[in-house]
Each structure stands twice: as structure tokens, then as C-alpha cells.
Amino acid sequence: MKKLVEKYQDRTFLETYSEELYRGDVYETETGETFEAVNTNTKIRITYQLIN
């Protein structure tokens, strides 16, 4: 890890991110009704692109 940091410490990167909200699971009751469980988990993806 130290070699990687030393190799790129003077470089410039473009940082971008995306965010995705996970939907809740859908369940069916014994009576045939369906409902969606509330889920607020978020997946965040951070990407670094070398500029120079």
C-alpha cells in the first residue's frame, strides 16, 4: 500500500460518485396480499480517474 501511495501522491484524480437506493423486499401474506418492506440502505460507488 505504501508503494502505491508513493507512486501516485503527486498525481491528480477526478473523483465521481453514484448513489443507489436499495428497494425493500416484497412479501406475500397467507391471504395473498403483497407488501414491500421499507428499506433505506444506500450503496455509494466512488470512482477515481487518473487525469495526469
Side-chain angles (χ1 to χ4, degrees), residues 1-7:
M1 180 78 167
K2 183 178 176 181
K3 289 181 180 184
L4 187 62
V5 171
E6 290 172 352
K7 181 178 179 179

Side-chain angles (χ1 to χ4, degrees), residues 4-50:
L4 187 62
V5 171
E6 290 172 352
K7 181 178 179 179
Y8 290 106
Q9 67 184 355
D10 295 327
R11 306 297 292 269
T12 303
F13 292 87
L14 173 65
E15 179 184 84
T16 57
Y17 74 95
S18 63
E19 184 175 321
E20 179 181 345
L21 181 64
Y22 285 107
R23 295 184 57 88
D25 292 331
V26 177
Y27 296 97
E28 186 173 335
T29 65
E30 293 176 1
T31 60
E33 295 178 295
T34 59
F35 67 94
E36 183 176 346
V38 177
N39 188 349
T40 57
N41 291 331
T42 303
K43 176 182 177 181
I44 298 175
R45 176 178 290 161
I46 302 172
T47 306
Y48 296 94
Q49 181 180 6
L50 186 60

